[in-house]
Amino acid sequence: MNKIIFFIFFAGTLGFSQVTHAQTKDQVFRDGIVMYNEGDYQGALKAYKHVLEMDPNYQMAYYNLGITYSAIFQWTNAISAYTKAIEIDPKYSDAYFNRSIAFRQLSLFDKALADLSKIISINPKYTRAYTNSGIIYFMEKKHKEAIAISMEGL
């Protein structure tokens, strides 16, 4: 008993009782990546949301939130997260690309094609935008458009 009291007194005199382990937004963000990679999607979602509570303009947290929602097929939530990332950086091609995939999953082909077109206007060398545009046109049975856009990307 005396040893416990001594330790509490000793720790208190060193200030240990006042030390808290507060993670930075970057540490929490990295934790989210680890959780995602381990398949803990709910944990990753919580981590990215916590980052956004600390910094509502943390673009990569919105992007990774979108990726995580996509992994669990929550396409509408994914679209919202990608949209926030795009609002922060309107030239964020990868966010447009992933949002186009979510739109495609919801059969919102016009919106998906609009995002892919935006990517091409931002970065004409983003070949996946051409390929996915071709896929969507093919799904819509617009074969000439599918071939034309696919060839444009070569």
Side-chain angles (χ1 to χ4, degrees):
M1 175 91 168
N2 287 340
K3 290 181 183 178
I4 295 173
I5 293 172
F6 174 74
F7 176 69
I8 293 170
F9 173 76
F10 184 71
T13 60
L14 294 177
F16 291 152
S17 63
Q18 297 174 7
V19 174
T20 58
H21 181 66
Q23 288 186 299
T24 67
K25 63 184 178 187
D26 293 328
Q27 290 169 325
V28 176
F29 180 78
R30 284 190 296 273
D31 289 347
I33 292 171
V34 170
M35 287 182 249
Y36 178 89
N37 289 335
E38 292 175 347
D40 180 6
Y41 301 127
Q42 294 304 317
L45 289 173
K46 287 179 187 174
Y48 298 135
K49 288 176 183 178
H50 184 63
V51 170
L52 293 167
E53 289 171 5
M54 291 189 271
D55 180 358
N57 292 312
Y58 201 114
Q59 176 189 19
M60 287 303 297
Y62 283 114
Y63 180 73
N64 282 18
L65 192 62
I67 289 172
T68 307
Y69 279 127
S70 295
I72 57 175
F73 310 109
Q74 291 187 15
W75 303 115
T76 303
N77 288 333
I79 290 166
S80 295
Y82 294 131
T83 299
K84 291 295 281 183
I86 291 166
E87 287 171 2
I88 295 168
D89 178 4
K91 293 186 177 186
Y92 194 7
S93 296
D94 290 335
Y96 281 107
F97 184 79
N98 285 350
R99 189 173 73 173
S100 77
I101 292 171
F103 281 137
R104 188 179 79 197
Q105 292 297 329
L106 295 174
S107 298
L108 299 172
F109 299 132
D110 289 342
K111 290 183 177 190
L113 287 169
D115 275 357
L116 295 166
S117 178
K118 181 68 175 178
I119 295 168
I120 293 167
S121 73
I122 294 168
N123 180 4
K125 295 184 180 191
Y126 200 106
T127 56
R128 294 183 302 162
Y130 297 95
T131 303
N132 277 2
S133 294
I135 290 168
I136 292 170
Y137 282 127
F138 186 79
M139 291 171 72
E140 293 185 307
K141 302 192 183 314
K142 297 178 180 177
H143 300 118
K144 288 182 184 179
E145 292 91 338
I147 292 169
I149 193 76
S150 296
M151 295 301 291
E152 190 179 328
L154 297 177

